[in-house]
Amino acid sequence: MTGLRILLGAAILGGLGAAAPFTPLWLISLVTLAMSTGLVVCGLIILWRGGLVPFGQALFFATGAYTVALSGRWFGVTDAFLLIALAVIMAVLVAFVVGFLLAQYREIFFAMLSLALSMILYGVLVKSETLGSTDGINVAQASFFGMMPRGPGYTFALFWLALGMVFAAWVGVSAYLGSVAGQLAGAIRDNEIRVEYLGISVTRLVHLKLTISAALAGAGGALAALSISHVDPQMAYWTTSGGFVFVTILAGAASVPAAFLGALLFEIVRTIAVALLPGGWQLILGSVLLLTILFVPEGLGSLMIRKRVTVSGREAA
Amino acid sequence: MSALLSVKGLEKTFGQVVAARDIDVDVPQGQTVGIIGANGAGKTTFVNMITGHLTPSGGTIEFEGRDITGLPSRKIMRLGIARSFQVAQVFPTFSVLENLCAATAIARSGSSVVGAALSRFASAETSADAEAALDQFQIARFRDALASTLPQGVRKLLDIAMATAGNPRVLLLDEPTSGISLEEKFGLMDVIMGALKARGTTILFVEHDMDIVQRFADRVLAFYDGTVIADGAPAEALGDERVREFITGTLIRSKDGKLGAGRTSHA
């Protein structure tokens, strides 16, 4: 990624941040929530490029969200940056441990095993009174550099925080996708035997991808928890994971910014669908997915990339 | 001359089936060894055990004096033993250059996952290595073609070029000319051997065509029924009576059970 692109990205995000005070609060909240989904989808793109689709990414999302809620409740942590760091660390730890198992599997087995693990967490959350059971836990208001903004100020602060996280994720994920490990995703999808016989462990590469994707999902969960001010077991439920996969298909694996645009589009479509057809919004969402697969099978990102990039100029957008 | 690769008492059984037994081979640095034998004689099993694809049931494999028996294949690769496959193993959705870049990038990142995560894929050094391999293996005109669209011979060359990316000291080629037409075989082997000899690589290649073996091998290992029945210079090994009977088919039994001279065949 060139310096110019980074500058451009920073300018766009800075512009969005500056526009916040002139934007309706509901829209800012919606965008913040969409960015939390976008962070998770960034991680799914990393896995998807390697041919892996987890149906249980909510495991790491919920881990991040609950870490924020419980750090506040049990230890009185209020600093937003610290909360997010803790959420990422916890999600990474969980992914590192379950990765020893998950990285052994591919295709539908990888997908379903990840789903199984997320459903175990869901079960634990529902059954445990300490963790709030089905009601969940309220998330205390976070502080920023020792300040506790109230009302609209808090919504703005969270939005700016989200923009900062989007920027960090975009730079970080682009760098990873441009690394040898990132570029080997296609090689793993194509031919694992050849990768192993070039001297590098496919299992460890998959483990790394899973751990990075979990860090992003944990960050997304933390942002969602702060944004909604509440966590509940639904965050670990399979429909949450399904939503992430939905947005990943909508966004495609070609481009990192598409993950955020896809997430935004998803939130907007869902909001409109619920307003139009309160009892049958899934019908609209399903139709959007159907149309995406039929007409933009490689996702929104494919519309943003002009040509097929080759190695010499191969760059993660 | 001390052996670079030393195999002692190697054996492999699959249940009741003995795929390899009593294999003792020392390969000195720089030698080119042709491995011959009928289908099922244990040639590929031998290659698979050396490269860690199969774990031997008994015996030892030493490389540069170090015991590598039963190590995972990627560790063996990292020590300096690479291989190509009977069915060329490439990345079909990558171009030829991208395939080579993947191989050189892995080699350059030290074959470690952390190294791979921290080094950039599109580096000038990686591209330079890949371009050099394109020239060395004479596949530069297929540079930007997708690997899935390549003719068989080019795909074989690409597979071997990728295997040499880490500058292995030993390279095992499993039937480099299988699936290649008779007219093209010698040309293909000339390219392969030319590129490898320039690097001083020690080569073991499995081959069914005795003309190829005679032309390119310094030494021949003849496999029959899971073990080595002849080992020596090509003329000597190919002249061995059991080799002629069981492998090259230049001896055929007459109806009364006596051995006699027969036709030459590309068994």
Side-chain angles (χ1 to χ4, degrees), chain B residues 229-254:
Chain B
I229 56 169
D231 176 1
E236 179 194 332
L238 294 175
D240 183 279
E241 191 168 288
R242 287 199 298 167
V243 172
R244 292 172 66 200
E245 181 184 2
F246 296 130
I247 303 171
T248 57
T250 47
L251 281 185
I252 51 168
R253 276 176 200 280
S254 59

Side-chain angles (χ1 to χ4, degrees), chain B residues 249-265:
Chain B
T250 47
L251 281 185
I252 51 168
R253 276 176 200 280
S254 59
K255 278 183 189 146
D256 57 6
K258 285 189 182 143
L259 292 172
R263 68 197 165 82
T264 308
S265 81

Side-chain angles (χ1 to χ4, degrees), chain B residues 79-98:
Chain B
L79 290 172
I81 301 180
R83 73 173 293 181
S84 74
F85 295 83
Q86 191 176 348
V87 177
Q89 297 291 328
V90 297
F91 304 125
T93 66
F94 283 26
S95 73
V96 169
L97 183 66
E98 286 169 337

Side-chain angles (χ1 to χ4, degrees), chain B:
Chain B
M1 194 154 33
S2 71
L4 182 64
L5 187 68
S6 179
V7 173
K8 286 193 185 68
L10 202 62
E11 59 179 70
K12 179 71 190 177
T13 51
F14 296 100
Q16 299 293 314
V17 181
V18 179
R21 60 192 165 85
D22 307 325
I23 301 175
D24 296 287
V25 176
D26 281 344
V27 181
Q29 162 77 38
Q31 203 167 48
T32 300
V33 182
I35 298 173
I36 62 170
N39 289 324
K43 308 180 299 294
T44 298
T45 303
F46 176 68
V47 169
N48 282 344
M49 284 193 285
I50 291 178
T51 55
H53 199 66
L54 288 176
T55 306
S57 312
T60 58
I61 305 164
E62 282 185 13
F63 174 62
E64 294 179 322
R66 180 181 167 168
D67 189 356
I68 59 164
T69 322
L71 284 183
S73 50
R74 64 168 192 282
K75 292 203 170 144
I76 292 176
M77 297 304 118
R78 256 180 263 173
L79 290 172
I81 301 180
R83 73 173 293 181
S84 74
F85 295 83
Q86 191 176 348
V87 177
Q89 297 291 328
V90 297
F91 304 125
T93 66
F94 283 26
S95 73
V96 169
L97 183 66
E98 286 169 337
N99 266 281
L100 288 167
C101 281
T104 54
I106 291 175
R108 282 200 165 266
S109 64
S111 300
S112 85
V113 170
V114 175
L118 295 180
S119 41
R120 275 190 63 76
F121 185 80
S123 77
E125 293 86 3
T126 302
S127 305
D129 286 357
E131 299 275 1
L134 278 179
D135 290 336
Q136 222 173 12
F137 286 89
Q138 300 180 21
I139 48 177
R141 68 193 174 93
F142 296 96
R143 185 178 186 276
D144 298 315
L146 279 186
S148 58
T149 65
L150 296 176
Q152 181 72 354
V154 180
R155 199 179 310 203
K156 288 261 182 188
L157 285 172
L158 177 58
D159 183 25
I160 296 168
M162 288 168 78
T164 60
N167 268 320
R169 298 196 64 192
V170 175
L171 183 61
L172 294 100
L173 308 172
D174 195 357
E175 302 198 22
T177 67
S178 72
I180 307 294
S181 69
L182 264 176
E183 312 83 81
E184 285 176 289
K185 279 187 176 186
F186 274 90
L188 183 76
M189 283 303 282
D190 275 332
V191 174
I192 296 170
M193 291 300 168
L196 296 178
K197 287 273 161 91
R199 294 164 182 253
T201 314
T202 303
I203 304 161
L204 286 84
F205 70 101
V206 176
E207 184 54 64
H208 281 293
D209 188 321
M210 295 311 142
D211 297 334
I212 298 268
V213 173
Q214 264 174 327
R215 168 92 157 65
F216 294 99
D218 306 330
R219 174 184 174 188
V220 171
L221 289 180
F223 276 75
Y224 178 74
D225 195 19
T227 196
V228 176
I229 56 169
D231 176 1
E236 179 194 332
L238 294 175
D240 183 279
E241 191 168 288
R242 287 199 298 167
V243 172
R244 292 172 66 200
E245 181 184 2
F246 296 130
I247 303 171
T248 57
T250 47
L251 281 185
I252 51 168
R253 276 176 200 280
S254 59
K255 278 183 189 146
D256 57 6
K258 285 189 182 143
L259 292 172
R263 68 197 165 82
T264 308
S265 81
H266 298 292

Side-chain angles (χ1 to χ4, degrees), chain A residues 5 9 14 29 39 50 55 59 67 69 85 91 94 103 106 134 251 262 282:
Chain A
R5 291 179 65 97
S29 299
L39 288 167
F55 288 160
L59 168 68
T67 302
V94 171
R106 301 291 178 273
T134 45
Q282 290 92 340

